[in-house]
Amino acid sequence: MARIVAANDDDSMELNAISSMHDSTLGQLLKNVSDVRKMAIGDETPVHESLNQDYNDGYMRTVPFVLSFDNLTYNVSVRRKLEFRNLFPRRRTEDPEIAQTARPKTKTLLNNISGETRDGEIMAVLGASGSGKSTLIDALANRIAKGSLKGTVKLNGETLHSRMLKVISAYVMQDDLLFPMLTVEETLMFAAEFRLPRSLPKSKKKLRVQALIDQLGIRNAAKTIIGDEGHRGISGGERRRVSIGIDIIHDPILLFLDEPTSGLDSTSAFMVVKVLKRIAQSGSIVIMSIHQPSHRVLGLLDRLIFLSRGHTVYSGSPASLPRFFTEFGSPIPENENRTEFALDLIRELEGSAGGTRGLVEFNKKWQEMKKQNNRQPPLTPPSSPYPNLTLKEAIAASISRGKLVSGGESVAHGGTTTNTTTLAVPAFANPMWIEIKTLSKRSMLNSRRQPEIFGIRIASVVITGFILATVFWRLDNSPKGVQERLGFFAFAMSTMFYTCADALPVFLQERYIFMRETAYNAYRRSSYVLSHAIVSFPSLVFLSVAFAATTYWAVGLDGGPMGLLFYCLIILASFWSGSSFVTFLSGVVPSVMLGYTIVVAILAYFLLFSGFFINRNRIPDYWIWFHYMSLVKYPYEAVLQNEFSDATKCFVRGVQIFDNTPLGELPEVMKLRLLDTVSKSLGVTISSSTCLTTGSDILTKQGVVQLSKWNCLFITVAFGFLFRILFYFTLLLGSKNKRR
């Protein structure tokens, strides 16, 4: 079996065959596939022990990976500025200059970028702000929408498809997106639960996490919480390494990083890149953008690509930089940082009249000269001792050696004369119920360590209930009591929805964590939606019981035990519907302030059209649709029916008919005379004890005649499910995390 060693020189990477044994069939190459099965049955061999056997005296693994990209070009349309003169149509003109300015402009972010790298190496993309560093990383990581990017990205000579790339790669964002109240060990363990398959025993997952903690150099911080502005936690450099660890928990073949050293001091940046070097040496291809590496960091890098406004101005090894710039006519002074000199020169050229065009052209000629002088062509898959090995077969071999713990299952099919290998690539590492369980556990753990948040919610509900209870204390059954009951119900039901507005920041704070995790299929979006609903529901039960207990007896509501039960249920349904509505909005709006503005406005409209301020029969036809869409309408009508459904209960007797009118100020004797006169005029006997208005009459007067209270309850609950479904679609359509 041939082993390949990478020998760096100034111009290229040459692959030399060190030794050769007897020929081996593909089936023999992949005989270690059984290692994956051993893990499933509980074999306690360390997950990555086989990797160590492949490194001896610097020899690389037998199945190399080569990533190449050719002629990557990416253009975006630049929106024209809104100017007053553009509001009016212009007269057609033959002037090419004027005609050109009238057309929509496009900006080139990448212009025919090409390069290659292999496993065991770190490729760094450098350049000033706006040079296209992050855009190139996104292009290689398939984070640009299909059709917008031109060019090819290949691994071992085969085009990388989206599904395969998601399985074998990881992308580390520039910002550290972590749950603040989880410890480092818990954060990595949850990542292992998401990315490693269910067939892998929990003991193996723990071993992988512990090995990763040592690899990242964060053993001393393993039991420390991540922390945020209000909670002291780990340092910035440790946070960055944890962010990297989350995405490499499954030991990917390709690792992309967007400025992993940004915002770190020199020592922390060096430690981060040192970790990346160890990851590369374990058999991964590491590609990252970096702003300005120090001399120590530069010593860890294998390949550099300098960009200037979307063009390549240098591509090669760090050792070739002095020779390149010497031949260009700008030699690098001794004792000066090579990359700093190069970046300063590029900025200087960008500000000149000719720009970097001369440097771009010189780089093209220099690359051509390198190819002519080299004895071998650039890295290509045939440099493998098994040139007929397909990409899937190479990945299968890597899985059998411990790489891609969740990447798929390699299965060898042996026969008498032939051996074939297939690679099953699952879309997700775990079934949905495992994802829901893990997501719920993580969310509850993070929330349990912030009890003040739930404490504030329940305190606000209890205080609101206490104020309502003392204002509407022990209402009687008079006409004034009826009117006050209507006011209490309208305010109470709308309060349920306004109280739910505090759920708005929850997803907005988790949005980018969610996008990072789902971008590479850590879990399904549907699992997140279901988990979000499951975790939020118990707190809604506590809030409902607290509000009902505070107000039901104090206000003097009717209905007995069954009435109290329904009152609790409709409050719970209102909380459920309201939290679902706010959750849906959080998936649509981009910021908390804008979200609060929209929530308050829409809830005000819901209350306006609920039927309290204006009866349904009085709402104009062109607004009646909003009445039926109002979330407050159905709980409001439900509690009215729960209170006034007793047809035998009287609310207006005899002279009480004059209450709430100017005649209500008359003496009792005068009211009795007026009542006697009305009685004689109508020919009906009406005494001071005659019931004139029952609960059914009140419901009819309020226009609550279309739906029963149980139908109102079911509709309120259904609204909650509808908004959860809409929330799912917002996540499905709005979190692609790709440039257009």
Side-chain angles (χ1 to χ4, degrees), residues 33 130 138 141 145 193 200 233 236 270 410 439 452 564 587 595 655 706 730:
V33 168
D138 286 347
E193 293 288 347
L200 198 65
F270 175 71
S410 52
L439 283 166
E452 65 275 8
L564 173 61
V655 294
Q706 292 182 323
T730 61

Side-chain angles (χ1 to χ4, degrees), residues 540-555:
L540 301 182
V541 175
F542 282 106
L543 296 175
S544 303
V545 172
F547 186 83
T550 308
T551 58
Y552 188 80
W553 291 284
V555 177

